[in-house]
Amino acid sequence: MKTVTHQDPGLPSFDLDDKATVIPSTDPELAIPVAASPRPIWLHGSRATLLGNVRGGAREVRMDGQRVVSELTVEAGPVANAVVSPGLLRRERISTTGSAEESVLVSPSLPMAALTYRGARPSRAALVAFPDAARIRYRTEGSAVTVTADDKDEVLVVAAMSSSAGWAARPAPEGGLRLEWSGEENAAGTDDGLRGLVLAFGSATVVRTALAGARHLAGHTVRAGSPLTGELLTLHSGAAGLDQAVHWMEHRLAAGVRLATSERPGPEPKAWLWTGLGACAVGDTESAKACIETLDRLRRSDEAMLLASRLALATGHQNELLDRVQKAQGLPASADSTSALRGLAIRTASNALRYAAPDQLLAELRRSADSGGSGASGRRLPTIGGAGSSAAPGPAEDDDLAEALTYLLERDSTARRRPWPSLSDERARAPLEAWTGLVAADREGWARWRTLVAAGLEGSDGGVGAWEPLEPGRPPAITGILLSALVHGWLGIHPDAPVGRLLLAPRVPARLTSFGVRGIRVGDASLDLEYVREGSNHCFELTPRSGRVPPMVVFEPVVYASEVTRILIDDKPAEVDVVATGEGGMSVPLQTPVDARRRVEIGTR
């Protein structure tokens, strides 16, 4: 592609504030050391994403869903070692002039990325701006270059932290504008080298805000390497890498959804369903809604209805689901929907709306669900409102999907326990089998899940801290499955927000002696769970955190022992029926409002 470029003095002028400094060396909260290999690395913010590799530069930088930079390289020498966190990469680079500490940061909240250097400073840098554009305008002034394409309202600013102007621009052979900075050539030996490079994208106002934010790189660094804030679920087990991996997966899922929605969604609707279920599980409402909207665009009404219903069960917000159900009356099912999947979606919607929908609509929903059933019966479901469906029965794998979800999400033991991936990616099979084992209280289920979690954190085919490659149009389904397995399988969390009730049935693996879970939500209420085992004594504590109305918790922990000898609730003996779950597991079901701290002790032998 031949690119036409020209200088445009009418573009706005920018310059990097002199107060911009290098990124401080304070270690982020989430960080893992990695070998200097060619493995890929994704760095994520809410508005920017950088794809690179451990050894070299950045293959591409996306901001606000657009590919704005490719082939970003800085001549700073080979990489000796590296540490990576979700939004920050630190590397020690060795050159003939000495060693340099390089930091690559993607801002958590701004369309901005920054590279900074301590020690020996690079003398050359290069990148391609707007590699997909055919006509480009640019302006070089001082230490900054302003670039835009004829079809865009936004501008890209590339600003150097250096006393040398040093920028040269020319069309790139493969498309876009190639920018090169050379301190030696342009400063005639008087330049102190490149202290850093800042990329910002957006309107003139947004870019000025981002460049001003470059004065506060220390704050951006702390946020980029910390767990996501808000109301997301967090795990505190003390197990090496496990708690960290859960935080990484939450980062990964949110960033993956943003990247996937930046372009036309790919032809894998089940991947959006698995991703949305993971978002619902950990409380990432924004990502869950993005998955629902994408399923709507793909005309996958059954998967969208199921996911919207699961979100309503978690949050208690029923208005959007009620509107969806009412609008669906009389409309045909998805072109390749099946009776089993549609029946599950309608039944879940009926449960979520049982106190919000008119009685007549609820009756119609229940009749529709009953007529189709939840198994692979092959019978055709009527559409909501009584109209017959013209859709042909879908493939058997969709029936298997509905049956698997019935077991995984509703713990219906009459459904088969063998979930099929329903994804073209065969890597979905192992996480689904681990989830199934956790629900079944299988002793090996936790170990299989833990192994998969560790493999992604340490570096899989998708890169360091990645459980699958991220691509525009394709969401992080494997990450969604693993998070769902944690919440619904291991921890047994099943919210029913319309009635303010929460089923909490943790499967305590024999290898863990303590763990804590914070931010378990049901509607507007949240609570924490703490577990400690001393010898053969198991102690659980439920502590309310927030909420106007205390949630009612149906608590069914599973411990592994040959016999339960005593049960204390708030230090008082209790008579509770003990249920054997198989595989040596013993379930102790009870129910209590969590309006204050509740303590449950189970003595075993």
Side-chain angles (χ1 to χ4, degrees):
M1 178 179 68
K2 183 179 180 180
T3 302
V4 179
T5 65
H6 69 277
Q7 282 265 18
D8 185 352
L11 288 175
S13 173
F14 301 91
D15 202 355
L16 192 63
D17 195 304
D18 289 339
K19 295 180 181 178
T21 59
V22 296
I23 300 173
S25 59
T26 305
D27 290 334
E29 188 173 346
L30 300 180
I32 55 173
V34 294
S37 72
R39 287 186 298 176
I41 286 180
W42 287 88
L43 302 180
H44 305 294
S46 64
R47 300 182 64 180
T49 300
L50 182 148
L51 169 60
N53 65 69
V54 178
R55 283 185 182 172
R59 192 175 81 188
E60 67 176 39
V61 179
R62 290 177 176 265
M63 295 189 183
D64 287 342
Q66 303 183 49
R67 190 164 79 122
V68 297
V69 166
S70 67
E71 301 177 33
L72 170 59
T73 58
V74 177
E75 293 185 10
V79 175
N81 54 65
V83 176
V84 64
S85 64
L88 178 68
L89 170 66
R90 293 191 189 278
R91 297 186 285 203
E92 182 183 7
R93 306 186 71 160
I94 309 297
S95 67
T96 56
T97 58
S99 64
E101 180 186 321
E102 177 189 53
S103 298
V104 184
L105 168 72
V106 171
S107 169
S109 57
L110 296 171
M112 180 187 75
L115 292 78
T116 67
Y117 297 87
R118 289 177 180 269
R121 293 172 179 169
S123 58
R124 295 178 184 272
L127 59 89
V128 176
F130 291 118
D132 303 317
R135 302 183 65 85
I136 293 177
R137 296 177 291 130
Y138 67 95
R139 175 180 183 176
T140 58
E141 183 170 341
S143 64
V145 183
T146 304
V147 188
T148 189
D150 280 354
D151 60 344
K152 298 186 184 300
D153 296 326
E154 305 93 343
V155 296
L156 169 70
V157 173
V158 183
M161 298 180 191
S162 172
S163 59
S164 169
W167 286 109
R170 57 185 173 85
E174 301 299 325
L177 179 70
R178 182 170 178 81
L179 297 175
E180 296 178 343
W181 181 90
S182 175
E184 293 178 343
E185 294 180 4
N186 290 274
T190 62
D191 180 57
D192 61 351
L194 186 67
R195 291 186 293 117
L197 197 65
V198 176
L199 312 176
F201 174 76
S203 66
T205 301
V206 169
V207 168
R208 294 191 192 283
T209 300
L211 293 178
R215 293 179 298 172
H216 310 288
L217 293 181
H220 291 290
T221 301
V222 171
R223 289 188 59 196
S226 300
L228 291 177
T229 57
E231 300 297 333
L232 298 191
L233 179 141
T234 60
L235 177 67
H236 304 271
S237 68
L242 180 57
D243 303 342
Q244 193 176 36
V246 171
H247 292 309
W248 273 73
M249 285 192 287
E250 291 175 338
H251 272 277
R252 182 74 169 181
L253 186 137
V257 169
R258 287 193 297 269
L259 180 63
T261 54
S262 67
E263 295 190 7
R264 183 176 179 179
E268 283 289 346
K270 300 301 185 298
W272 290 97
L273 175 61
W274 291 121
T275 305
L277 290 173
C280 287
V282 298
D284 187 350
T285 302
E286 180 179 347
S287 295
K289 288 183 176 179
C291 291
I292 294 169
E293 292 170 0
T294 302
L295 287 167
D296 284 333
R297 289 197 297 271
L298 293 172
R299 296 191 174 186
R300 300 297 301 207
S301 59
D302 297 342
E303 288 91 340
M305 180 76 76
L306 176 59
L307 190 53
S309 302
R310 295 294 308 180
L311 184 60
L313 285 171
T315 64
H317 301 155
Q318 301 158 294
N319 290 340
E320 291 183 10
L321 177 61
L322 181 57
D323 289 344
R324 175 181 295 273
V325 170
Q326 290 173 331
K327 290 177 182 178
Q329 287 184 296
L331 296 178
S334 300
D336 54 353
S337 71
T338 67
S339 60
L341 185 60
R342 189 164 175 78
L344 175 61
I346 292 174
R347 185 174 68 251
T348 308
S350 175
N351 289 337
L353 293 173
R354 59 191 183 276
Y355 294 109
D359 292 342
Q360 182 179 356
L361 179 57
L362 283 175
E364 289 185 18
L365 286 174
R366 288 164 184 158
R367 282 197 302 270
S368 295
D370 291 342
S371 67
S374 61
S377 64
R379 287 179 291 175
R380 190 173 300 172
L381 273 178
T383 58
I384 301 170
S389 172
S390 59
E397 66 184 38
D398 276 3
D399 287 341
D400 289 326
L401 170 67
E403 198 164 18
L405 286 170
T406 301
Y407 178 71
L408 295 173
L409 297 176
E410 299 182 355
R411 303 197 311 165
D412 184 348
S413 60
T414 62
R416 287 187 304 174
R417 296 184 182 179
R418 185 183 65 175
W420 293 85
S422 296
L423 289 167
S424 60
D425 192 343
E426 280 294 315
R427 285 174 296 185
R429 186 180 299 273
L432 286 168
E433 288 176 349
W435 185 358
T436 305
L438 288 167
V439 172
D442 180 350
R443 284 179 180 268
E444 298 303 317
W446 188 82
R448 286 197 296 267
W449 176 80
R450 179 71 181 89
T451 299
L452 292 168
V453 168
L457 183 65
E458 294 164 2
S460 64
D461 292 342
V464 179
W467 285 263
E468 71 257 79
L470 290 187
E471 303 172 10
R474 185 185 180 99
I478 307 302
T479 306
I481 293 172
L482 289 170
L483 287 172
S484 294
L486 162 70
V487 174
H488 302 312
W490 175 23
L491 300 174
I493 298 173
H494 297 273
D496 190 356
V499 294
R501 185 170 58 202
L502 173 72
L503 171 62
L504 183 55
R507 272 75 168 146
V508 180
R511 301 178 188 180
L512 277 185
T513 58
S514 66
F515 67 84
V517 186
R518 297 174 188 169
I520 302 172
R521 299 194 63 83
V522 53
D524 67 347
S526 65
L527 56 91
D528 299 339
L529 168 67
E530 297 287 338
Y531 166 79
V532 176
R533 182 173 77 243
E534 296 180 354
S536 59
N537 190 60
H538 305 258
C539 179
F540 298 87
E541 284 192 355
L542 301 172
T543 305
R545 290 184 63 189
S546 64
R548 293 169 296 177
V549 179
M552 177 64 69
V553 175
V554 179
F555 191 50
E556 298 180 359
V558 175
V559 298
Y560 292 93
S562 58
E563 183 182 0
V564 173
T565 58
R566 65 186 178 90
I567 299 172
L568 300 178
I569 301 177
D570 293 338
D571 299 322
K572 298 178 181 178
E575 295 291 334
V576 177
D577 293 332
V578 178
V579 180
T581 63
E583 298 283 341
M586 308 291 287
S587 176
V588 183
L590 56 94
Q591 181 169 293
T592 178
V594 183
D595 50 2
R597 179 174 295 180
R598 301 295 185 197
R599 180 183 178 90
V600 178
E601 292 186 48
I602 304 172
T604 64
R605 64 183 177 192

